[in-house]
Amino acid sequence: DAGVIQSPRHEVTEMGQEVTLRCKPISGHDYLFWYRQTMMRGLELLIYFNNNVPIDDSGMPEDRFSAKMPNASFSTLKIQPSEPRDSAVYFCASSLLTGNYGYTFGSGTRLTVV
Amino acid sequence: KNQVEQSPQSLIILEGKNCTLQCNYTVSPFSNLRWYKQDTGRGPVSLTIMTFSENTKSNGRYTATLDADTKQSSLHITASQLSDSASYICVVSERTGAGSYQLTFGKGTKLSVIP
């Protein structure tokens, strides 16, 4: 198993541009989570899906952020328009069943907005 | 508000020495507590997961303890190696409903092991 796969690993973009981050969860995992990590705030949950359905998006900072999961093997996190304060490392994680087991993180996407 | 507090914020130790990292939490109702290791530029990787009834769990040179009464956990690293240099994150799971859980993350302890 290749684990949770995220792309790209690094993204540098100009303020105002659209950014799309991608995630492929572990096959068979029915929960998918998007996190943001900064030095100041640590890891913060943005949104999570169960069986491709968004369950809790209360962590999404503002309307500029959106996430989709069109099928069990793919999810995207989109920021439009991007701002410098969005610069962070974004992690995707997936897990089994209730979300309490087999929790695995991807390697993250480091986003820099200039 | 549920919180997970870790100490120290950072730590430098000599290779071969032991160290202990602390985690205090206020999360309730408690489901489990996890310790993750995060290498620079990588995602967190699970070291241990402990439920309410477990006091101690080991994973090689890593030993985690849990006192559910005082809501404290520690991660002890024995005979440290250079490869132990990483951030160690304490994560507490709260049961929020039937089959649903919420994780609360600590901000981590950054450990540097020097030769």
Side-chain angles (χ1 to χ4, degrees):
Chain A
D1 193 334
V4 176
I5 300 173
Q6 291 187 245
S7 65
R9 285 300 311 275
H10 302 275
E11 176 81 35
V12 180
T13 190
E14 291 185 344
M15 182 174 64
Q17 296 298 305
E18 177 180 295
V19 175
T20 299
L21 312 181
R22 297 173 175 80
C23 175
K24 177 178 167 52
I26 291 175
S27 177
H29 281 191
D30 50 2
Y31 279 78
L32 184 140
F33 307 81
W34 282 101
Y35 287 90
R36 178 171 65 178
Q37 187 178 39
T38 61
M39 289 290 291
M40 290 293 294
R41 301 172 70 90
L43 276 160
E44 301 174 284
L45 177 65
L46 300 176
I47 184 172
Y48 77 92
F49 296 82
N50 176 219
N51 291 323
N52 313 338
V53 176
I55 303 299
D56 184 354
D57 65 354
S58 59
M60 297 285 263
E62 22 189 300
D63 292 344
R64 298 184 296 105
F65 286 68
S66 62
K68 294 182 180 180
M69 191 165 185
N71 57 61
S73 59
F74 183 67
S75 177
T76 60
L77 177 67
K78 186 175 293 186
I79 308 173
Q80 166 63 17
S82 58
E83 297 182 3
R85 60 194 169 114
D86 301 330
S87 297
V89 182
Y90 291 81
F91 287 101
C92 176
S94 70
S95 71
L96 283 166
L97 301 174
T98 63
N100 213 27
Y101 303 98
Y103 211 94
T104 304
F105 284 87
S107 294
T109 294
R110 179 174 293 278
L111 173 64
T112 304
V113 183
V114 298
Chain B
K1 180 182 176 183
N2 286 331
Q3 288 188 313
V4 176
E5 301 288 342
Q6 291 188 243
S7 61
Q9 192 172 11
S10 62
L11 182 63
I12 300 174
I13 62 172
L14 291 173
E15 185 179 11
K17 297 296 187 183
N18 304 334
C19 67
T20 300
L21 314 181
Q22 300 290 343
C23 174
N24 295 338
Y25 63 93
T26 62
V27 174
S28 180
F30 174 88
S31 177
N32 61 58
L33 184 146
R34 315 160 189 213
W35 283 94
Y36 283 85
K37 178 186 179 188
Q38 184 176 19
D39 292 314
T40 301
R42 310 294 296 179
V45 174
S46 180
L47 292 175
T48 65
I49 179 168
M50 303 177 70
T51 59
F52 184 89
S53 59
E54 296 176 298
N55 300 119
T56 302
K57 183 169 276 190
S58 292
N59 178 359
R61 295 179 296 101
Y62 300 100
T63 299
T65 65
L66 174 65
D67 185 334
D69 291 330
T70 61
K71 297 187 176 181
Q72 296 180 325
S73 176
S74 66
L75 180 69
H76 186 75
I77 304 175
T78 303
S80 60
Q81 300 176 359
L82 298 179
S83 59
D84 293 331
S85 296
S87 288
Y88 292 83
I89 302 172
C90 176
V91 184
V92 182
S93 176
E94 169 197 2
R95 183 166 185 153
T96 56
S100 66
Y101 299 84
Q102 177 173 297
L103 300 186
T104 302
F105 289 79
K107 292 186 178 179
T109 292
K110 185 175 176 62
L111 174 66
S112 299
V113 181
I114 59 176

